[in-house]
Every structure is written in C-alpha cells, then in structure tokens.
Amino acid sequence: MSSFFYIFLVSLPLASLTNGDADLIQKTCKITNYYDLCVSTLESDPTSMGLDTKGLVLILVRVATANATNTSTFLSSESLSTTNDTTLKKVLKECSDKYVYAGDALRASVQDLASESYDYASMHVMAAADYPNACHNTFIGYPKLIYPQEIARREDALKHLFIWNIWRYMNSVVFNNPVEDRDSILEQSM
C-alpha cells in the first residue's frame, strides 16, 4: 500500500471542521497555485458544506473528471468538423481517447479511495495527469502539426488546476506541513 495514501487517510479524522466549512475550504485551497479557482469550485458545490478533507478532494476529482470528459468531447467534435487533414484527424482522435482514459483513471481513483486501495488511487491519479502529456507528445510526433492553443489550455487546466492541486493538498495533509514552495514533485515531473 502506498504510504502516501495510507498516511493521508489515517490523518483525515484529525482534519475536522472545527472552524467551520468555509475555513476548511480556505485551508484546503490556500496551498494551491490557483486559490480563487479552488475556493470558487468548492464553494459552488452545494455538497461541500459539511464535508471533511477527503470529501473536498473528491469534489476536485469530480471536477477534474468532468474536465477530461469535456476535453474528449471537444477533441472528438474537432476531429469530425474542422479539417480534411487525415493526419490531424487521426491525432485529434488519439488525443480524444487519451482524455477518455484520464477520466476513466480519475473515476477509478474515487473507487480506490472508497475501498481504501490507496496505492491504486495514487497510481490512477498519476495516470490521469500523464494522459494529457501523451496527447501533447502525439503532436510532437508529427512536426508539421501545431499543438492547438485550445488543447494546451485544456491540458493546463486538467494537469495544473485540478490534479496538481489534489496532490499538493494531499501532500500537505500527509506531512502536516503547509507547502511553502510552488514546485511539487508532480509539477517537476510534467
């Protein structure tokens, strides 16, 4: 079992709602690079009130899953409607599939957390972070194709706005130490 997830979940009961739901959301988001987005995401979810830290992380996972699904749908529609270039259509289809896999991995991480299979949850979240890289790398394999800005924006949103923040918060809870620097191991690996 991954010691990271084991320590994280063992420490969950210690992170109670003693200062209220809003304080916990602010504490959760304080260590992210996108504080305002994190707070607005969690506060806009009506289920966030009364949740513990694990519940808040699960909301972020749910939002990240929706992002991956929406990106896959976007890429599918782009591959069908915007070009006659068969190579670009092929690459867009491959990218669409990668985002489907990212969504699948995030859904699997939720199931793993529920069954306390923390090592698998860790593996699935890391896989979800890597699928956008695989899409980007597919474009690199075709030097005449330019990586579209809209895909880059969506890649950034999935990897950095959501998955990174999930990991940053989990690391902070596990080690009971707020993260001071903005370069986590996950960020350095991307």
Side-chain angles (χ1 to χ4, degrees):
M1 175 185 309
S2 169
S3 61
F4 174 78
F5 273 102
Y6 177 76
I7 294 169
F8 168 70
L9 288 172
V10 167
S11 68
L12 284 176
L14 301 176
S16 66
L17 295 174
T18 57
N19 294 323
D21 299 331
D23 288 344
L24 183 59
I25 288 172
Q26 290 174 0
K27 180 181 174 186
T28 301
C29 296
K30 183 179 178 184
I31 61 164
T32 69
N33 284 348
Y34 302 93
Y35 175 82
D36 292 335
L37 177 64
C38 179
V39 169
S40 68
T41 299
L42 293 175
E43 286 183 347
S44 69
D45 189 311
T47 66
S48 67
M49 293 300 132
L51 291 179
D52 60 6
T53 52
K54 181 180 176 183
L56 296 177
V57 169
L58 290 173
I59 289 172
L60 293 175
V61 172
R62 189 171 63 232
V63 171
T65 303
N67 174 284
T69 301
N70 291 339
T71 300
S72 174
T73 301
F74 168 79
L75 290 167
S76 290
S77 69
E78 288 294 300
S79 70
L80 296 174
S81 64
T82 61
T83 184
N84 290 327
D85 183 339
T86 57
T87 302
L88 180 58
K89 283 185 177 199
K90 175 185 171 190
V91 170
L92 290 171
K93 170 69 171 110
E94 287 180 38
C95 282
S96 176
D97 291 345
K98 302 298 184 213
Y99 280 90
V100 167
Y101 302 148
D104 291 345
L106 288 164
R107 280 186 285 282
S109 75
V110 171
Q111 293 172 350
D112 295 333
L113 287 170
S115 66
E116 298 184 358
S117 299
Y118 308 122
D119 51 346
Y120 288 113
S122 173
M123 177 189 69
H124 284 118
V125 170
M126 293 301 291
D130 200 41
Y131 285 118
N133 291 336
C135 170
H136 196 147
N137 290 340
T138 301
F139 273 88
I140 292 170
Y142 297 91
K144 292 183 180 182
L145 295 180
I146 297 172
Y147 192 59
Q149 282 296 103
E150 179 61 15
I151 299 173
R153 185 189 67 75
R154 289 167 180 263
E155 173 188 5
D156 184 63
L158 181 61
K159 288 184 349 186
H160 298 108
L161 300 182
F162 298 111
I163 292 176
W164 154 315
N165 289 335
I166 292 165
W167 278 92
R168 285 186 65 85
Y169 182 68
M170 287 180 179
N171 282 326
S172 176
V173 171
V174 167
F175 299 109
N176 195 22
N177 185 18
V179 179
E180 295 296 327
D181 69 348
R182 295 294 187 199
D183 295 320
S184 72
I185 293 170
L186 178 63
E187 175 72 359
Q188 293 169 8
S189 71
M190 292 185 188

